[in-house]
Amino acid sequence: MCGIIGYIGERQACQVIVKGLKRLEYRGYDSAGIVTEENGALHIRKGAGKIDELTEKLGLLEMPGKRGIGHTRWATHGVPNDVNAHPQTDCSGKIALVHNGIIENYGEIKEELLKRGHVFKSDTDTEVIAHLIEEELKTVGNFEEALRKALSRLKGSFALGIIYTEEPDRLYFVRNESPLVLGIGEGENFAASDVPAFLEYTNRAVFLDDGEYAVITKDSYVVKKLSTGEVVDKPVQEIGWTLEMAEKAGYEHFMLKEIYEQPRAIRDAIHGNAEVIENVAKEIAKYDKIFFVAMGTSYHAALVGKYLLQRLAKKVPIVEEASEFRYEMEDLIDEDTLVIAITQSGETADTLAAMKLAKRKGAKVLAIVNVVGSMATRIADLTLYTHAGPEIGVAATKTYTTQLTVLTMLAIALARTLGTADEEYLRQLEENLNRIPELVEKVLKHDGALRELAEGLKEKRDFFYIGRSIGVPTALEGALKLKEISYIHAEGLSAGELKHGPLALLEEGVPVVAIAPSGKTFDKMLSNIEEAKARGAYIIALGDNESLKRVSDVLIEMPPMDELLTPIVYVVPLQILAYHLAVLRGNDPDKPRNLAKSVTVE
């Protein structure tokens, strides 16, 4: 959950690295640091805090050298402070490295190294790696061989960037269960945790797989297997994102920009899958034992997927949090199983672990992913991309609505393949899906009213989000968005559950956000809203039915649409409301406390 950026070329390395770190700060922002090299000497500046404040405080833009590595940290071992910030070094001061991941056996290795006279400065698991390489160099004259020998002893996940003073023309980068990608330039090369870090300079990328490392110079790169040193031929991929797509484009925050990008992102998701969706549907049509695995917002998308497959394809999937899947479902997975894994980054540790288990058991694995070349795409048998483009804000917005779009397309295609729904209805549903971007644009016009609403709610301590049927995942996602960025307690639940306990928590003025589109459960939903209203709740309803005016304190009028499409549209006002509440409460919605964009450790 940290960010790595490396550069070697003819530019001043620190200038490139600082820019890259700013674009990676969504991966972690409790501390940061840079190491550069000039004339055989390492220059290290690091500290606790965010990139902008550290840049001025530490003079990060004044560091000498044309090769270097930077790191932005989300702490896992050792509290966020100056000493624990990366880079970490060995005793000799000749090796410096940065690390994303967790070394599970660092304690026993550290104890062994302490007995051999190594002196440690930090509480991190990362520093162990530098000393272990140093120790191996005592018996192995070649740095690359010492690196491979040292890393073979590590258990856990790691992406590493390494600089060694005795080899002034190169940098080393390693991947094992944490993301890392090379950027291939002209007379300069890069490596980073994510593409936007170097996109200003090149759109040509090489994605490393687990158990691979790269040696880069300013004019060349080579990828090898960590276990053997054997050279691996890796394709160069051209990334379709522009730098402008990865920057704020005039919005105050990335999250707001990404909320407003949703009409475009949904269109891209539709167009990007139009030619492949039928083939994928045919590949998975035979499976009746179906599991969705995901975490966080992607888990809510999986819940929507369950309703879509039930309604349209007459399948009955099980939705399981990926973190629980491999402990609870291992004995149920076999070659007759389909596992649909949903992950924005394609690097979510729990989801990757679930996918790997499914593969070992012989299951067919379909990944729904945003990031091209990510680990999930390499594990999966089949992949559907969401085509959302880079999402910098930690709280998922456009990646969620594009996941829902792809799931809707998949359910329609599967129903058509199986003949489980009327063809005319499926055609109309497809036509209506194509109009969803226009409906989202209409809903975005509620922005001003939602900000005004947020003004009156910013001091509230508790929110409830309720829905029925396919509206329940939207309630869950709305509550999650509020928790993530405004730090207000919120619960999302099925409205039918109100009278089974939660009504006891309702009192005068407690906001209840009701997801109430027209559909098969609307009348029941109306009754549930009235139950909450009778207990003094402040009702904020989203819907298209006139009856809601009678029971609502605030009605956010939504455009009429097929109930199956409502999750894509109805979540948008909830994203906007959460955003405004966060800003009004003085929070940075792009960098919520204690959270990181991509959860790459379990």
Side-chain angles (χ1 to χ4, degrees):
M1 285 188 263
C2 305
I4 293 171
I5 170 72
Y7 173 78
I8 185 167
E10 294 299 327
R11 304 176 197 266
Q12 190 175 357
C14 63
Q15 303 275 348
V16 177
I17 291 168
V18 167
K19 285 184 179 181
L21 288 177
K22 287 181 179 180
R23 295 185 182 116
L24 290 173
E25 202 169 11
Y26 69 92
R27 299 183 63 86
Y29 37 82
D30 56 44
S31 57
I34 293 175
V35 55
T36 59
E37 181 272 340
E38 186 178 60
N39 298 325
L42 295 182
H43 301 267
I44 297 175
R45 300 181 189 181
K46 62 180 185 173
K50 296 185 178 181
I51 303 299
D52 284 338
E53 61 190 70
L54 292 174
T55 298
E56 184 175 351
K57 177 182 175 182
L58 302 178
L60 297 182
L61 293 175
E62 301 159 10
M63 298 174 69
K66 295 182 179 180
R67 67 168 177 150
I69 302 167
H71 185 269
T72 181
R73 184 172 186 244
W74 191 85
T76 53
H77 284 86
V79 298
N81 61 25
D82 294 352
V83 174
N84 289 333
H86 298 200
Q88 296 291 329
T89 60
D90 68 328
C91 293
S92 72
K94 294 182 178 181
I95 301 167
L97 57 82
V98 298
H99 169 217
N100 172 29
I102 290 177
I103 306 305
E104 296 173 2
N105 61 336
Y106 86 101
E108 61 188 77
I109 295 175
K110 184 173 183 177
E111 187 176 339
E112 173 191 324
L113 292 169
L114 284 168
K115 290 177 181 177
R116 296 190 180 192
H118 288 262
V119 177
F120 287 80
K121 299 175 183 177
S122 77
D123 299 319
T124 67
D125 55 342
T126 301
E127 189 182 357
V128 167
I129 307 171
H131 289 277
L132 188 58
I133 297 170
E134 178 190 18
E135 186 65 25
E136 294 295 348
L137 268 173
K138 294 176 181 178
T139 56
V140 177
N142 178 284
F143 181 82
E144 192 170 332
E145 187 179 347
L147 172 67
R148 290 195 296 104
K149 194 172 179 182
L151 298 188
S152 70
R153 295 194 56 193
L154 302 182
K155 296 178 182 177
S157 62
F158 49 89
L160 302 171
I162 306 164
I163 190 168
Y164 179 47
T165 58
E166 303 298 300
E167 295 185 352
D169 64 338
R170 65 194 58 197
L171 297 171
Y172 293 85
F173 295 91
V174 187
R175 174 189 173 125
N176 189 62
E177 298 188 3
S178 290
L180 203 62
V181 56
L182 307 182
I184 310 305
E186 296 290 336
E188 58 185 0
N189 284 309
F190 310 78
S193 299
D194 203 355
V195 170
F198 56 71
L199 196 55
E200 176 180 348
Y201 307 100
T202 181
N203 70 339
R204 300 174 69 235
V206 173
F207 291 88
L208 300 189
D209 284 304
D210 285 344
E212 292 180 347
Y213 70 101
V215 186
I216 68 171
T217 70
K218 69 183 183 67
D219 296 312
S220 67
Y221 71 93
V222 61
V223 178
K224 300 181 181 181
K225 291 183 179 179
L226 194 55
S227 58
T228 64
E230 177 186 353
V231 174
V232 182
D233 185 23
K234 305 287 288 189
V236 176
Q237 301 187 36
E238 289 199 3
I239 304 300
W241 302 345
T242 64
L243 181 61
E244 184 178 323
M245 291 171 67
E247 295 183 338
K248 290 184 183 177
Y251 289 90
E252 185 179 357
H253 297 98
F254 280 113
M255 182 180 178
L256 187 61
K257 171 180 176 282
E258 288 154 4
I259 288 171
Y260 273 83
E261 285 178 338
Q262 287 178 113
R264 188 274 307 161
I266 293 166
R267 287 189 186 97
D268 288 350
I270 293 170
H271 296 153
N273 287 286
E275 294 184 6
V276 300
I277 203 80
E278 297 289 346
N279 289 335
V280 172
K282 289 173 183 174
E283 286 274 342
I284 66 174
K286 71 175 185 179
Y287 294 96
D288 289 319
K289 191 195 297 185
I290 302 172
F291 290 87
F292 281 100
V293 295
M295 297 296 292
T297 287
S298 295
Y299 175 77
H300 299 154
L303 291 172
V304 174
K306 175 182 82 82
Y307 283 103
L308 291 168
L309 291 193
Q310 285 174 181
R311 295 268 195 101
L312 295 175
K314 311 308 178 192
K315 300 285 188 180
V316 187
I318 294 172
V319 182
E320 188 68 75
E321 292 172 350
S323 59
E324 297 297 318
F325 176 82
R326 61 190 174 127
Y327 302 108
E328 295 299 326
M329 301 298 177
E330 183 175 9
D331 295 336
L332 301 179
I333 308 303
D334 56 28
E335 63 276 4
D336 296 320
T337 305
L338 170 67
V339 172
I340 302 175
I342 307 177
T343 161
Q344 183 279 133
S345 65
E347 302 290 350
T348 305
D350 290 308
T351 305
L352 294 182
M355 294 173 71
K356 289 173 182 177
L357 168 64
K359 290 284 287 184
R360 288 198 302 271
K361 293 286 188 173
K364 176 79 80 173
V365 177
L366 166 62
I368 298 177
V369 185
N370 186 41
V371 180
V372 175
S374 58
M375 193 63 200
T377 68
R378 300 196 289 277
I379 296 172
D381 301 294
L382 303 164
T383 299
L384 291 172
Y385 290 108
T386 57
H387 300 283
E391 185 176 73
I392 307 303
V394 169
T397 52
K398 64 178 181 175
T399 53
Y400 178 65
T401 49
T402 53
Q403 286 171 349
L404 299 184
T405 301
V406 172
L407 286 165
T408 305
M409 295 178 71
L410 181 63
I412 292 170
L414 193 56
R416 179 171 286 130
T417 299
L418 295 169
T420 51
D422 178 70
E423 176 57 36
E424 179 58 23
Y425 171 66
L426 293 177
R427 187 187 62 77
Q428 290 176 359
L429 196 59
E430 282 180 324
E431 289 179 1
N432 290 330
L433 179 63
N434 286 323
R435 287 196 285 269
I436 287 295
E438 299 170 23
L439 299 186
V440 172
E441 287 170 353
K442 288 181 180 180
V443 170
L444 288 169
K445 293 176 182 178
H446 288 302
D447 192 337
L450 288 163
R451 189 189 187 285
E452 187 176 334
L453 175 62
E455 285 276 8
L457 299 173
K458 63 184 179 182
E459 302 301 328
K460 297 293 184 181
R461 295 176 55 189
D462 302 284
F463 276 67
F464 288 85
Y465 289 72
I466 59 174
R468 298 292 294 246
S469 184
I470 201 168
V472 174
T474 304
L476 294 169
E477 177 62 12
L480 177 61
K481 284 291 152 287
L482 195 69
K483 287 182 281 192
E484 283 180 312
I485 62 173
S486 74
Y487 317 147
I488 298 172
H489 167 255
E491 289 192 38
L493 65 154
S494 164
E497 278 291 307
L498 274 175
K499 61 175 71 70
H500 295 276
L503 273 178
L505 296 173
L506 293 188
E507 55 189 33
E508 193 68 33
V510 172
V512 173
V513 182
I515 316 304
S518 296
K520 65 195 299 185
T521 59
F522 176 78
D523 291 339
K524 296 295 183 184
M525 187 68 193
L526 202 61
S527 297
N528 298 139
I529 294 171
E530 288 175 328
E531 289 169 355
K533 181 76 170 175
R535 273 77 181 175
Y538 184 79
I539 304 297
I540 303 162
L542 284 68
D544 60 349
N545 193 298
E546 288 287 320
S547 304
L548 291 170
K549 292 181 178 179
R550 174 175 55 82
V551 296
S552 306
D553 294 286
V554 175
L555 174 60
I556 301 168
E557 295 190 27
M558 302 295 287
M561 69 194 78
D562 190 294
E563 186 183 15
L564 296 185
L565 302 178
T566 57
I568 306 173
V569 183
Y570 274 57
V571 75
V572 175
L574 307 184
Q575 296 168 347
I576 297 170
L577 179 62
Y579 169 81
H580 286 307
L581 281 166
V583 173
L584 289 168
R585 288 166 63 89
N587 303 337
D588 182 349
D590 288 341
K591 302 184 182 78
R593 66 189 182 201
N594 303 331
L595 301 178
K597 180 66 178 172
S598 183
V599 183
T600 55
V601 295
E602 296 179 65

